[in-house]
Amino acid sequence: MRRVPRLFDLVDNSDTGELDSVAVADYQKVADACTLCDMCFMTKCLTSHRTNSTSISRMSCCGNRAVEFHEGRVPWVRTELGKTDRNGELARYVAPLANWGSDRHNQLTRPVLEKVTQVDRNAALPKYHGRTFVARSRRAGPPVTQAAPASGRKAVLYATCFVNYNNPSIGEATRAVLAKNGVQTETVYPQCCQMPQLEAGDLAKVAAAAKHVAPTLGPYIDQGYDIIALVPSCALMLKFECR
């Protein structure tokens, strides 16, 4: 699926070559393809060099999805796929079986998954691990280099659902790098930041997560810890949605 050029194509193929002549009905195509990459939100709209009008931004895409959710137009399957904590907790107990079934080379299960979940059978899906990053962090961590330039600094790692359930090695590598540079680390994971629910337009769940995650991390800040989210999208959620 061609996602990034969609807005460009609409503008380039319009009568004036500007956003003002793009049909409002076509905005939905852009909103559907938006991955909330935050380029428009963090800097400026990617087409702002060609138009002075207000463009289709991350917030308008989020707003559109919130309306869809409120009107009950978000598919049930999409909602269930977004429950990453529940899915991760269930899958980790049967990780080998879950990974076998989701393997894109599995010609037996992937066509069925495609039909049920609408996820393309050729898409590589994240693997699950029986031992989460939070569980692995309870073991003794790598020794902290006391003579390193950052010696004395402390950081708390917000595990994120992806690292916790799907790729613990990211967290382990982060701990090792920070320890080598003299940084003492702790790991915390109160719950998913609900980025999947933001994408689905369920803003109430995003707000509820913020009320849970922010107070969990707050005391660490008071104790002089830096907060590190191990996935970029989760860092943006902490910075802009959980504050």
Side-chain angles (χ1 to χ4, degrees):
M1 180 182 293
R2 297 174 68 237
R3 290 183 177 272
V4 175
R6 187 161 297 180
L7 179 57
F8 299 137
D9 290 346
L10 287 171
V11 172
D12 290 340
N13 295 328
S14 66
D15 293 336
T16 63
E18 302 288 352
L19 186 64
D20 59 3
S21 61
V22 173
V24 174
D26 287 332
Y27 287 7
Q28 183 68 47
K29 299 176 183 178
V30 179
D32 289 343
C34 175
T35 61
L36 302 186
C37 71
D38 278 307
M39 282 297 294
C40 60
F41 181 58
M42 295 292 292
T43 56
K44 59 183 179 180
C45 173
L46 294 176
T47 61
S48 63
H49 65 287
R50 291 182 291 179
T51 178
N52 293 319
S53 60
T54 301
S55 189
I56 302 174
S57 68
R58 168 189 184 271
M59 297 310 296
S60 60
C61 291
C62 287
N64 179 78
R65 293 180 185 183
V67 170
E68 288 181 333
F69 181 84
H70 180 72
E71 295 177 348
R73 291 190 283 132
V74 176
W76 177 82
V77 170
R78 172 65 184 81
T79 301
E80 296 305 305
L81 288 175
K83 296 178 179 178
T84 53
D85 283 334
R86 183 209 56 186
N87 297 342
E89 280 297 323
L90 291 175
R92 74 184 183 89
Y93 290 109
V94 290
L97 180 61
N99 295 335
W100 171 81
S102 64
D103 192 300
R104 63 192 180 99
H105 299 297
N106 191 326
Q107 298 301 314
L108 177 65
T109 58
R110 283 307 295 266
V112 177
L113 282 175
E114 181 182 71
K115 186 172 183 179
V116 174
T117 66
Q118 299 179 6
V119 174
D120 191 284
R121 69 186 68 185
N122 296 311
L125 299 178
K127 302 298 182 182
Y128 286 98
H129 292 260
R131 190 170 176 81
T132 65
F133 174 56
V134 170
R136 299 181 189 199
S137 295
R138 297 192 184 106
R139 299 178 301 190
V144 177
T145 305
Q146 299 300 327
S151 180
R153 295 189 64 175
K154 301 181 294 184
V156 60
L157 307 182
Y158 174 58
T160 77
C161 58
F162 178 72
V163 171
N164 194 43
Y165 299 112
N166 303 117
N167 202 332
S169 62
I170 293 177
E172 293 178 313
T174 301
R175 291 187 76 194
V177 170
L178 289 173
K180 184 71 173 179
N181 285 276
V183 181
Q184 173 192 338
T185 58
E186 300 287 342
T187 299
V188 64
Y189 183 60
Q191 70 166 91
C192 170
C193 68
Q194 297 299 327
M195 178 69 168
Q197 306 310 322
L198 180 65
E199 293 177 333
D202 191 347
L203 303 185
K205 285 189 177 178
V206 175
K211 291 178 180 178
H212 186 202
V213 174
T216 303
L217 296 175
Y220 285 97
I221 298 174
D222 295 336
Q223 297 172 40
Y225 283 80
D226 293 316
I227 306 297
I228 300 176
L230 297 176
V231 174
S233 61
C234 303
L236 288 170
M237 289 294 290
L238 293 183
K239 188 173 183 180
F240 294 108
E241 310 300 338
C242 295
R243 59 181 179 172

